[in-house]
mmCIF file of all heavy atoms in Angstrom:
data_model
loop_
_atom_site.group_PDB
_atom_site.id
_atom_site.type_symbol
_atom_site.label_atom_id
_atom_site.label_comp_id
_atom_site.label_asym_id
_atom_site.label_seq_id
_atom_site.Cartn_x
_atom_site.Cartn_y
_atom_site.Cartn_z
ATOM 1 N N GLN J 56 -23.373 38.259 -14.651
ATOM 2 C CA GLN J 56 -23.909 37.313 -15.628
ATOM 3 C C GLN J 56 -22.872 36.230 -15.921
ATOM 4 O O GLN J 56 -21.693 36.517 -16.115
ATOM 5 C CB GLN J 56 -24.268 38.036 -16.927
ATOM 6 C CG GLN J 56 -24.798 37.109 -17.993
ATOM 7 C CD GLN J 56 -25.076 37.847 -19.300
ATOM 8 O OE1 GLN J 56 -24.585 38.936 -19.516
ATOM 9 N NE2 GLN J 56 -25.841 37.229 -20.149
ATOM 10 N N THR J 57 -23.317 35.003 -15.954
ATOM 11 C CA THR J 57 -22.433 33.892 -16.264
ATOM 12 C C THR J 57 -22.412 33.685 -17.765
ATOM 13 O O THR J 57 -23.450 33.612 -18.410
ATOM 14 C CB THR J 57 -22.913 32.612 -15.562
ATOM 15 O OG1 THR J 57 -22.937 32.859 -14.158
ATOM 16 C CG2 THR J 57 -22.007 31.452 -15.859
ATOM 17 N N VAL J 58 -21.223 33.612 -18.306
ATOM 18 C CA VAL J 58 -21.031 33.360 -19.729
ATOM 19 C C VAL J 58 -20.058 32.193 -19.872
ATOM 20 O O VAL J 58 -19.496 31.718 -18.889
ATOM 21 C CB VAL J 58 -20.497 34.611 -20.461
ATOM 22 C CG1 VAL J 58 -21.555 35.709 -20.487
ATOM 23 C CG2 VAL J 58 -19.225 35.128 -19.838
ATOM 24 N N PHE J 59 -19.845 31.754 -21.094
ATOM 25 C CA PHE J 59 -18.989 30.610 -21.340
ATOM 26 C C PHE J 59 -17.893 30.959 -22.331
ATOM 27 O O PHE J 59 -18.144 31.600 -23.346
ATOM 28 C CB PHE J 59 -19.821 29.433 -21.863
ATOM 29 C CG PHE J 59 -20.756 28.895 -20.825
ATOM 30 C CD1 PHE J 59 -22.002 29.453 -20.640
ATOM 31 C CD2 PHE J 59 -20.373 27.849 -20.005
ATOM 32 C CE1 PHE J 59 -22.861 28.980 -19.670
ATOM 33 C CE2 PHE J 59 -21.213 27.369 -19.029
ATOM 34 C CZ PHE J 59 -22.463 27.927 -18.861
ATOM 35 N N LYS J 60 -16.674 30.539 -22.014
ATOM 36 C CA LYS J 60 -15.513 30.763 -22.856
ATOM 37 C C LYS J 60 -15.115 29.418 -23.445
ATOM 38 O O LYS J 60 -14.899 28.453 -22.719
ATOM 39 C CB LYS J 60 -14.363 31.320 -22.023
ATOM 40 C CG LYS J 60 -13.049 31.418 -22.742
ATOM 41 C CD LYS J 60 -11.939 31.623 -21.718
ATOM 42 C CE LYS J 60 -10.589 31.456 -22.324
ATOM 43 N NZ LYS J 60 -10.259 30.093 -22.678
ATOM 44 N N THR J 61 -15.011 29.356 -24.755
ATOM 45 C CA THR J 61 -14.561 28.123 -25.381
ATOM 46 C C THR J 61 -13.040 28.043 -25.261
ATOM 47 O O THR J 61 -12.364 29.068 -25.223
ATOM 48 C CB THR J 61 -14.991 28.060 -26.857
ATOM 49 O OG1 THR J 61 -14.522 29.230 -27.519
ATOM 50 C CG2 THR J 61 -16.497 27.961 -26.995
ATOM 51 N N PRO J 62 -12.466 26.859 -25.186
ATOM 52 C CA PRO J 62 -11.024 26.721 -24.970
ATOM 53 C C PRO J 62 -10.173 27.406 -26.045
ATOM 54 O O PRO J 62 -9.151 27.980 -25.743
ATOM 55 C CB PRO J 62 -10.791 25.210 -24.994
ATOM 56 C CG PRO J 62 -12.106 24.605 -24.717
ATOM 57 C CD PRO J 62 -13.132 25.569 -25.225
ATOM 58 N N SER J 63 -10.587 27.360 -27.273
ATOM 59 C CA SER J 63 -9.763 27.924 -28.341
ATOM 60 C C SER J 63 -10.276 29.266 -28.857
ATOM 61 O O SER J 63 -9.650 29.864 -29.716
ATOM 62 C CB SER J 63 -9.720 26.946 -29.519
ATOM 63 O OG SER J 63 -11.030 26.746 -30.016
ATOM 64 N N GLY J 64 -11.400 29.738 -28.329
ATOM 65 C CA GLY J 64 -12.019 30.942 -28.865
ATOM 66 C C GLY J 64 -11.563 32.233 -28.222
ATOM 67 O O GLY J 64 -10.961 32.252 -27.162
ATOM 68 N N ALA J 65 -11.879 33.332 -28.901
ATOM 69 C CA ALA J 65 -11.577 34.666 -28.396
ATOM 70 C C ALA J 65 -12.863 35.383 -28.019
ATOM 71 O O ALA J 65 -12.873 36.583 -27.826
ATOM 72 C CB ALA J 65 -10.827 35.455 -29.466
ATOM 73 N N LYS J 66 -13.973 34.639 -27.945
ATOM 74 C CA LYS J 66 -15.282 35.209 -27.651
ATOM 75 C C LYS J 66 -15.859 34.561 -26.402
ATOM 76 O O LYS J 66 -15.433 33.503 -25.983
ATOM 77 C CB LYS J 66 -16.245 34.960 -28.813
ATOM 78 C CG LYS J 66 -15.721 35.353 -30.175
ATOM 79 C CD LYS J 66 -16.241 36.671 -30.557
ATOM 80 C CE LYS J 66 -15.809 36.982 -31.984
ATOM 81 N NZ LYS J 66 -15.526 38.350 -32.160
ATOM 82 N N TYR J 67 -16.878 35.216 -25.823
ATOM 83 C CA TYR J 67 -17.631 34.593 -24.750
ATOM 84 C C TYR J 67 -19.089 34.505 -25.172
ATOM 85 O O TYR J 67 -19.567 35.297 -25.974
ATOM 86 C CB TYR J 67 -17.450 35.296 -23.405
ATOM 87 C CG TYR J 67 -17.847 36.751 -23.347
ATOM 88 C CD1 TYR J 67 -19.118 37.119 -22.949
ATOM 89 C CD2 TYR J 67 -16.932 37.751 -23.661
ATOM 90 C CE1 TYR J 67 -19.481 38.458 -22.870
ATOM 91 C CE2 TYR J 67 -17.280 39.084 -23.579
ATOM 92 C CZ TYR J 67 -18.555 39.432 -23.188
ATOM 93 O OH TYR J 67 -18.915 40.748 -23.111
ATOM 94 N N HIS J 68 -19.783 33.483 -24.673
ATOM 95 C CA HIS J 68 -21.109 33.111 -25.171
ATOM 96 C C HIS J 68 -22.100 32.876 -24.043
ATOM 97 O O HIS J 68 -21.718 32.583 -22.921
ATOM 98 C CB HIS J 68 -21.008 31.807 -25.975
ATOM 99 C CG HIS J 68 -19.926 31.798 -26.994
ATOM 100 N ND1 HIS J 68 -20.113 32.204 -28.277
ATOM 101 C CD2 HIS J 68 -18.617 31.444 -26.909
ATOM 102 C CE1 HIS J 68 -18.975 32.088 -28.951
ATOM 103 N NE2 HIS J 68 -18.056 31.630 -28.139
ATOM 104 N N LEU J 69 -23.393 32.960 -24.385
ATOM 105 C CA LEU J 69 -24.460 32.547 -23.472
ATOM 106 C C LEU J 69 -24.530 31.029 -23.481
ATOM 107 O O LEU J 69 -24.062 30.383 -24.429
ATOM 108 C CB LEU J 69 -25.800 33.119 -23.923
ATOM 109 C CG LEU J 69 -25.946 34.642 -23.870
ATOM 110 C CD1 LEU J 69 -27.265 35.060 -24.496
ATOM 111 C CD2 LEU J 69 -25.838 35.140 -22.447
ATOM 112 N N ALA J 70 -25.129 30.447 -22.468
ATOM 113 C CA ALA J 70 -25.254 28.993 -22.388
ATOM 114 C C ALA J 70 -26.076 28.440 -23.549
ATOM 115 O O ALA J 70 -25.853 27.320 -24.000
ATOM 116 C CB ALA J 70 -25.885 28.590 -21.064
ATOM 117 N N SER J 71 -27.000 29.232 -24.088
ATOM 118 C CA SER J 71 -27.868 28.775 -25.169
ATOM 119 C C SER J 71 -27.229 28.893 -26.555
ATOM 120 O O SER J 71 -27.803 28.454 -27.540
ATOM 121 C CB SER J 71 -29.170 29.570 -25.148
ATOM 122 O OG SER J 71 -28.883 30.956 -25.318
ATOM 123 N N CYS J 72 -26.040 29.457 -26.654
ATOM 124 C CA CYS J 72 -25.389 29.678 -27.950
ATOM 125 C C CYS J 72 -24.954 28.351 -28.566
ATOM 126 O O CYS J 72 -24.458 27.461 -27.868
ATOM 127 C CB CYS J 72 -24.179 30.599 -27.790
ATOM 128 S SG CYS J 72 -23.377 31.023 -29.358
ATOM 129 N N ARG J 73 -25.101 28.236 -29.873
ATOM 130 C CA ARG J 73 -24.716 26.998 -30.550
ATOM 131 C C ARG J 73 -23.198 26.809 -30.614
ATOM 132 O O ARG J 73 -22.713 25.736 -30.921
ATOM 133 C CB ARG J 73 -25.312 26.963 -31.949
ATOM 134 C CG ARG J 73 -24.723 27.990 -32.897
ATOM 135 C CD ARG J 73 -25.278 27.775 -34.307
ATOM 136 N NE ARG J 73 -24.730 28.743 -35.209
ATOM 137 C CZ ARG J 73 -25.410 29.730 -35.773
ATOM 138 N NH1 ARG J 73 -26.701 29.844 -35.515
ATOM 139 N NH2 ARG J 73 -24.837 30.570 -36.580
ATOM 140 N N MET J 74 -22.429 27.861 -30.324
ATOM 141 C CA MET J 74 -20.976 27.767 -30.351
ATOM 142 C C MET J 74 -20.413 27.156 -29.059
ATOM 143 O O MET J 74 -19.258 26.792 -28.997
ATOM 144 C CB MET J 74 -20.358 29.152 -30.561
ATOM 145 C CG MET J 74 -20.861 29.847 -31.817
ATOM 146 S SD MET J 74 -20.717 28.843 -33.279
ATOM 147 C CE MET J 74 -19.158 29.391 -33.884
ATOM 148 N N VAL J 75 -21.257 27.052 -28.026
ATOM 149 C CA VAL J 75 -20.808 26.512 -26.740
ATOM 150 C C VAL J 75 -20.915 24.991 -26.780
ATOM 151 O O VAL J 75 -21.948 24.444 -27.103
ATOM 152 C CB VAL J 75 -21.659 27.084 -25.577
ATOM 153 C CG1 VAL J 75 -21.290 26.432 -24.262
ATOM 154 C CG2 VAL J 75 -21.487 28.585 -25.497
ATOM 155 N N LYS J 76 -19.854 24.346 -26.442
ATOM 156 C CA LYS J 76 -19.823 22.882 -26.385
ATOM 157 C C LYS J 76 -19.684 22.463 -24.926
ATOM 158 O O LYS J 76 -19.521 23.282 -24.036
ATOM 159 C CB LYS J 76 -18.643 22.343 -27.200
ATOM 160 C CG LYS J 76 -18.591 22.849 -28.616
ATOM 161 C CD LYS J 76 -19.663 22.226 -29.453
ATOM 162 C CE LYS J 76 -19.494 22.682 -30.890
ATOM 163 N NZ LYS J 76 -20.687 23.055 -31.541
ATOM 164 N N ASN J 77 -19.695 21.186 -24.670
ATOM 165 C CA ASN J 77 -19.579 20.672 -23.302
ATOM 166 C C ASN J 77 -18.230 20.999 -22.659
ATOM 167 O O ASN J 77 -18.096 20.940 -21.461
ATOM 168 C CB ASN J 77 -19.794 19.161 -23.288
ATOM 169 C CG ASN J 77 -21.230 18.815 -23.594
ATOM 170 O OD1 ASN J 77 -22.126 19.615 -23.377
ATOM 171 N ND2 ASN J 77 -21.450 17.621 -24.113
ATOM 172 N N VAL J 78 -17.236 21.339 -23.447
ATOM 173 C CA VAL J 78 -15.907 21.597 -22.908
ATOM 174 C C VAL J 78 -15.678 23.066 -22.562
ATOM 175 O O VAL J 78 -14.586 23.451 -22.202
ATOM 176 C CB VAL J 78 -14.814 21.131 -23.900
ATOM 177 C CG1 VAL J 78 -14.855 19.635 -24.074
ATOM 178 C CG2 VAL J 78 -14.964 21.833 -25.233
ATOM 179 N N SER J 79 -16.691 23.913 -22.660
ATOM 180 C CA SER J 79 -16.550 25.341 -22.388
ATOM 181 C C SER J 79 -16.390 25.610 -20.900
ATOM 182 O O SER J 79 -16.904 24.888 -20.059
ATOM 183 C CB SER J 79 -17.762 26.103 -22.914
ATOM 184 O OG SER J 79 -17.836 25.977 -24.307
ATOM 185 N N GLU J 80 -15.666 26.697 -20.584
ATOM 186 C CA GLU J 80 -15.419 27.105 -19.201
ATOM 187 C C GLU J 80 -16.416 28.183 -18.803
ATOM 188 O O GLU J 80 -16.625 29.144 -19.529
ATOM 189 C CB GLU J 80 -13.993 27.655 -19.094
ATOM 190 C CG GLU J 80 -13.627 28.181 -17.746
ATOM 191 C CD GLU J 80 -12.264 28.849 -17.742
ATOM 192 O OE1 GLU J 80 -11.539 28.783 -18.740
ATOM 193 O OE2 GLU J 80 -11.947 29.463 -16.712
ATOM 194 N N GLU J 81 -17.024 28.054 -17.636
ATOM 195 C CA GLU J 81 -18.002 29.023 -17.131
ATOM 196 C C GLU J 81 -17.258 30.141 -16.405
ATOM 197 O O GLU J 81 -16.459 29.884 -15.503
ATOM 198 C CB GLU J 81 -18.962 28.318 -16.176
ATOM 199 C CG GLU J 81 -20.089 29.170 -15.689
ATOM 200 C CD GLU J 81 -21.066 28.385 -14.839
ATOM 201 O OE1 GLU J 81 -21.212 27.166 -15.029
ATOM 202 O OE2 GLU J 81 -21.676 29.005 -13.964
ATOM 203 N N ILE J 82 -17.501 31.410 -16.820
ATOM 204 C CA ILE J 82 -16.855 32.569 -16.204
ATOM 205 C C ILE J 82 -17.857 33.719 -16.117
ATOM 206 O O ILE J 82 -18.930 33.649 -16.704
ATOM 207 C CB ILE J 82 -15.597 33.027 -16.981
ATOM 208 C CG1 ILE J 82 -15.956 33.410 -18.426
ATOM 209 C CG2 ILE J 82 -14.517 31.981 -16.956
ATOM 210 C CD1 ILE J 82 -14.798 33.985 -19.210
ATOM 211 N N THR J 83 -17.508 34.789 -15.408
ATOM 212 C CA THR J 83 -18.377 35.966 -15.341
ATOM 213 C C THR J 83 -18.042 36.895 -16.507
ATOM 214 O O THR J 83 -16.954 36.822 -17.088
ATOM 215 C CB THR J 83 -18.185 36.734 -14.027
ATOM 216 O OG1 THR J 83 -16.849 37.224 -13.968
ATOM 217 C CG2 THR J 83 -18.493 35.871 -12.813
ATOM 218 N N THR J 84 -18.961 37.788 -16.828
ATOM 219 C CA THR J 84 -18.755 38.735 -17.914
ATOM 220 C C THR J 84 -17.556 39.630 -17.626
ATOM 221 O O THR J 84 -16.736 39.891 -18.507
ATOM 222 C CB THR J 84 -20.008 39.606 -18.118
ATOM 223 O OG1 THR J 84 -21.130 38.752 -18.316
ATOM 224 C CG2 THR J 84 -19.869 40.500 -19.324
ATOM 225 N N ALA J 85 -17.433 40.088 -16.386
ATOM 226 C CA ALA J 85 -16.316 40.965 -16.019
ATOM 227 C C ALA J 85 -14.980 40.255 -16.234
ATOM 228 O O ALA J 85 -14.034 40.838 -16.775
ATOM 229 C CB ALA J 85 -16.458 41.406 -14.566
ATOM 230 N N ARG J 86 -14.900 38.991 -15.853
ATOM 231 C CA ARG J 86 -13.658 38.231 -16.036
ATOM 232 C C ARG J 86 -13.371 37.995 -17.514
ATOM 233 O O ARG J 86 -12.210 38.015 -17.941
ATOM 234 C CB ARG J 86 -13.751 36.904 -15.292
ATOM 235 C CG ARG J 86 -12.441 36.178 -15.231
ATOM 236 C CD ARG J 86 -12.453 35.033 -14.229
ATOM 237 N NE ARG J 86 -11.532 34.031 -14.731
ATOM 238 C CZ ARG J 86 -11.757 32.739 -14.758
ATOM 239 N NH1 ARG J 86 -12.884 32.263 -14.279
ATOM 240 N NH2 ARG J 86 -10.869 31.903 -15.230
ATOM 241 N N ALA J 87 -14.412 37.791 -18.310
ATOM 242 C CA ALA J 87 -14.231 37.591 -19.749
ATOM 243 C C ALA J 87 -13.662 38.844 -20.402
ATOM 244 O O ALA J 87 -12.758 38.770 -21.237
ATOM 245 C CB ALA J 87 -15.559 37.211 -20.395
ATOM 246 N N VAL J 88 -14.160 40.005 -20.009
ATOM 247 C CA VAL J 88 -13.673 41.270 -20.565
ATOM 248 C C VAL J 88 -12.239 41.526 -20.120
ATOM 249 O O VAL J 88 -11.404 41.971 -20.907
ATOM 250 C CB VAL J 88 -14.614 42.431 -20.183
ATOM 251 C CG1 VAL J 88 -14.028 43.768 -20.581
ATOM 252 C CG2 VAL J 88 -15.969 42.237 -20.839
ATOM 253 N N GLU J 89 -11.935 41.232 -18.850
ATOM 254 C CA GLU J 89 -10.576 41.389 -18.348
ATOM 255 C C GLU J 89 -9.597 40.517 -19.124
ATOM 256 O O GLU J 89 -8.445 40.886 -19.332
ATOM 257 C CB GLU J 89 -10.504 41.026 -16.864
ATOM 258 C CG GLU J 89 -11.128 42.043 -15.950
ATOM 259 C CD GLU J 89 -11.195 41.555 -14.505
ATOM 260 O OE1 GLU J 89 -10.601 40.488 -14.186
ATOM 261 O OE2 GLU J 89 -11.843 42.236 -13.697
ATOM 262 N N ALA J 90 -10.046 39.345 -19.547
ATOM 263 C CA ALA J 90 -9.193 38.421 -20.300
ATOM 264 C C ALA J 90 -9.071 38.826 -21.770
ATOM 265 O O ALA J 90 -8.385 38.171 -22.536
ATOM 266 C CB ALA J 90 -9.755 37.005 -20.195
ATOM 267 N N GLY J 91 -9.758 39.904 -22.166
ATOM 268 C CA GLY J 91 -9.661 40.382 -23.542
ATOM 269 C C GLY J 91 -10.607 39.696 -24.507
ATOM 270 O O GLY J 91 -10.459 39.832 -25.723
#
Side-chain angles (χ1 to χ4, degrees):
Q56 179 183 18
T57 301
V58 292
F59 292 86
K60 172 195 169 289
T61 55
S63 61
K66 309 261 185 216
Y67 59 93
H68 311 269
L69 294 174
S71 60
C72 184
R73 68 174 180 249
M74 304 308 266
V75 175
K76 307 288 185 224
N77 291 335
V78 295
S79 297
E80 177 186 352
E81 185 175 332
I82 60 175
T83 63
T84 305
R86 190 167 150 224
V88 172
E89 287 173 9

